[in-house]
Amino acid sequence: MVHIDTILQRVSSRILGRTVSTTDRSKFVWRLPQRTNFPSLFASEKVPQNTRDVSHMLLALEPPDDNHKVWDNNYEAVFIHRPFDLHLRAFRNSYILWSHDDFDNNMTVGYNPALAADLQLLQPLEEVLWTNKRGVERRIGMVGRLDSPHAFGAYRRQVEDIFEGSDASKANSVPHVRKVAVMGAFNPSLLHRMKSEHDVDLYITGQVRPAALEVAKELNIAVIAVGHERCEAYGLRSLASSLTAHWDDSVQSEAMSELEVDILLSSKLTAVRSTHVQTT
């Protein structure tokens, strides 16, 4: 088993890139969380105060349709990406962690060093900043190089293996890929920036935007749009890998424990996938 505080630290470290205080873990909140508040840790009133260990955890994109059937699995902890239809009192024996905006920004397409490694992009990565209508600047993507030119078709298959498919891909007269932009948005303005500032060969993003596809064709930038839900599913799988990786020296007391993590990629229980990893 793994202590709930360690779970919280591992989740926050992976999503935020830093650990957070656990001083509020015992303050149980009876309202749905606001989108900007992460990390949040909730506990049902039925969770005993002395119960802190987790052996079976669920990672889900959203609350499942059949709440009672899923929770018969006795998950001690749950991470939910979109918790906005979640009824906390229905989950009587579980700690609930959630993240919406930070998960989208840091675990899917965008500035995501773990994804860059999967895509075989070399360090250092160039971060792409974007300012929204409220004047707030944030990282929206990254640009990286491959160690050698890759044929577009072969590299597209690698990307689709990582995301388990794609919604659209266009070579746009680009025979080989060397410089890649991975972006959390897809619009004409960003495409022009990627061409003028970085001279990218390939633009990887989530959701397809027809107007942006036309601009990419004009600029001779290849595009792979993997799809919004595939991005989120990749993020859950990456989080599961972090949770089931070998624990570091700071948690040796939990060595040789087993943490089982299930991944729910849709609202149906049949979509659950299990992985059993020995943590040492």
Side-chain angles (χ1 to χ4, degrees):
M1 293 186 177
V2 179
H3 197 280
I4 186 60
D5 288 350
T6 304
I7 296 288
L8 177 61
Q9 293 306 318
R10 182 61 68 97
V11 170
S12 62
S13 178
R14 179 64 185 88
I15 294 178
L16 296 178
R18 57 182 172 82
T19 57
V20 296
S21 171
T22 58
T23 55
D24 292 332
R25 62 172 169 76
S26 62
K27 297 177 181 177
F28 303 150
V29 182
W30 297 110
R31 62 178 176 79
L32 288 183
Q34 299 298 313
R35 290 190 175 197
T36 54
N37 294 334
F38 179 81
S40 293
L41 175 62
F42 301 88
S44 166
E45 60 186 356
K46 300 296 185 181
V47 177
Q49 290 291 305
N50 60 352
T51 300
R52 301 291 185 221
D53 291 330
V54 176
S55 62
H56 197 191
M57 184 172 183
L58 177 70
L59 309 182
L61 293 180
E62 57 192 1
D65 287 342
D66 193 342
N67 293 334
H68 297 293
K69 186 176 181 181
V70 170
W71 292 93
D72 283 345
N73 285 282
N74 295 318
Y75 296 107
E76 294 100 352
V78 184
F79 173 88
I80 300 180
H81 171 46
R82 293 189 294 271
F84 309 113
D85 294 325
L86 175 66
H87 299 286
L88 293 176
R89 292 183 184 273
F91 309 130
R92 300 180 179 180
N93 300 304
S94 304
Y95 291 98
I96 302 171
L97 295 85
W98 75 279
S99 173
H100 185 264
D101 292 351
D102 289 314
F103 181 93
D104 281 337
N105 293 339
N106 300 319
M107 298 292 291
T108 66
V109 288
Y111 189 85
N112 185 343
L115 175 56
D118 288 342
L119 293 169
Q120 299 179 326
L121 301 181
L122 302 176
Q123 297 285 349
L125 302 168
E126 300 176 71
E127 63 179 26
V128 179
L129 301 177
W130 174 74
T131 304
N132 64 21
K133 295 179 180 179
R134 294 174 294 178
V136 178
E137 187 178 67
R138 69 175 179 88
R139 293 188 299 198
I140 197 172
M142 60 185 176
V143 176
R145 288 181 175 274
L146 297 166
D147 60 353
S148 61
H150 287 49
F152 173 77
Y155 193 65
R156 181 197 66 216
R157 289 189 290 273
Q158 292 183 39
V159 174
E160 290 176 340
D161 285 345
I162 292 169
F163 288 98
E164 300 187 354
S166 68
D167 282 358
S169 63
K170 300 289 184 181
N172 292 335
S173 302
V174 177
H176 294 90
V177 174
R178 182 69 184 271
K179 201 168 188 181
V180 180
V182 183
M183 303 293 290
F186 187 36
N187 60 54
S189 175
L190 286 172
L191 282 162
H192 282 288
R193 277 187 62 189
M194 293 303 98
K195 188 66 173 182
S196 63
E197 297 178 14
H198 301 281
D199 195 25
V200 301
D201 306 305
L202 172 62
Y203 194 107
I204 298 174
T205 192
Q207 192 167 344
V208 176
R209 304 291 183 185
L213 282 176
E214 290 299 318
V215 173
K217 183 177 179 180
E218 295 171 4
L219 296 174
N220 294 118
I221 299 176
V223 174
I224 302 174
V226 298
H228 179 70
E229 287 198 2
R230 287 191 186 89
C231 292
E232 295 177 329
Y234 168 84
L236 282 190
R237 292 193 297 270
S238 182
L239 182 58
S241 295
S242 296
L243 287 168
T244 54
H246 294 310
W247 302 97
D248 61 27
D249 292 340
S250 66
V251 287
Q252 282 300 307
S253 62
E254 294 168 352
M256 300 305 294
S257 63
E258 184 179 88
L259 175 66
E260 180 182 341
V261 177
D262 292 345
I263 301 175
L264 185 64
L265 296 182
S266 77
S267 59
K268 303 298 183 183
L269 180 62
T270 54
V272 170
R273 304 173 182 185
S274 297
T275 178
H276 302 266
V277 178
Q278 191 77 13
T279 60
T280 58

